Amino acid sequence: MEIDGREEICHVRNTGRCRELLTKMAQVYLEKSDNLKRKTQYSLVAVQKGNMLVNMDFQAPNKVVAEWLREKDPFGRILSLRPECRYGTSRLDFYMETADKKVFIEVKGVTLEENGVVRFSDAPMERGIKHLQELIRCKQERYTAIIIFVIQMAGAKYFEPNKLHTRFTEALREAHAV
């Protein structure tokens, strides 16, 4: 990134390609770290895309979902909520227990937008397919299994899977059908 006329290498807290966001003249929002042991002094937090601000911090969706779960109790009063919980060969984002449910939750942040339509994912992702397969196994073993797509910008018209990534789209349809 260019900061005050000098080039700085910044940490990008997003695992997607973000090609439509990280363009040559994109206006970005950075967070400066005081940690002298870091390789980079700055982290990319958000990108301005037209009149839309897009969050780029992949950790933010999990924080938002955890807060929503605690405040709204959508599945009943939470007895236990654990982040990054192992299931099979994966680490799913949350494991939660209520009085009558055992729930695995996977969270995906959505940053790809075109004409108000938001899509996931912006890059082929084997890990995402694996997570969906694990959620299907959870359902088969009588757990409640949920995937939550957090749209990381305002103004979206609707969400759809990115049809360019057919394997993920097929896995999502299969998970929905279980």
Side-chain angles (χ1 to χ4, degrees):
M1 303 296 164
E2 186 177 312
I3 303 170
D4 297 328
R6 69 181 192 291
E7 193 173 283
E8 287 277 348
I9 295 174
C10 299
H11 175 67
V12 179
R13 296 177 181 161
N14 191 300
T15 57
R17 288 187 180 157
C18 306
R19 287 182 180 156
E20 76 289 349
L21 297 172
L22 300 178
T23 60
K24 186 173 179 124
M25 296 304 291
Q27 181 180 352
V28 298
Y29 296 83
L30 306 174
E31 177 180 73
K32 187 175 182 180
S33 174
D34 295 329
N35 183 350
L36 299 175
K37 295 180 182 180
R38 277 182 53 148
K39 290 181 183 179
T40 61
Q41 191 175 14
Y42 297 92
S43 292
L44 178 65
V45 176
V47 176
Q48 192 73 41
K49 181 183 178 195
N51 62 357
M52 186 182 325
L53 187 63
V54 181
N55 175 55
M56 293 289 290
D57 184 347
F58 78 94
Q59 297 171 336
N62 284 26
K63 291 175 184 175
V64 167
V65 168
E67 185 177 315
W68 174 72
L69 290 168
R70 287 186 185 104
E71 286 183 11
K72 301 297 181 185
D73 288 334
F75 304 99
R77 192 174 70 79
I78 297 172
L79 302 176
S80 170
L81 179 64
R82 295 192 330 244
E84 297 290 321
C85 195
R86 283 220 168 271
Y87 181 84
T89 59
S90 293
R91 262 191 352 241
L92 298 174
D93 289 317
F94 295 101
Y95 173 73
M96 179 178 70
E97 290 186 6
T98 66
D100 61 341
K101 288 184 178 61
K102 295 181 179 187
V103 184
F104 280 98
I105 301 171
E106 182 62 18
V107 178
K108 301 294 183 198
V110 181
T111 60
L112 179 61
E113 179 274 341
E114 186 177 28
N115 298 321
V117 180
V118 292
R119 296 181 179 97
F120 186 85
S121 78
D122 73 340
M125 60 177 318
E126 293 302 313
R127 210 169 126 241
I129 294 166
K130 182 180 169 189
H131 288 155
L132 287 171
Q133 291 166 341
E134 296 287 25
L135 289 173
I136 290 168
R137 283 189 37 224
C138 288
K139 290 272 300 191
Q140 292 167 341
E141 293 180 12
R142 305 270 189 241
Y143 290 97
T144 299
I146 299 168
I147 186 165
I148 298 174
F149 294 97
V150 177
I151 298 169
Q152 295 185 232
M153 69 207 72
K157 293 177 186 172
Y158 62 90
F159 167 85
E160 66 183 16
N162 189 345
K163 294 175 184 132
L164 294 176
H165 306 302
T166 55
R167 290 186 58 233
F168 182 83
T169 301
E170 290 166 6
L172 186 60
R173 285 191 180 114
E174 181 183 347
H176 180 71
V178 174

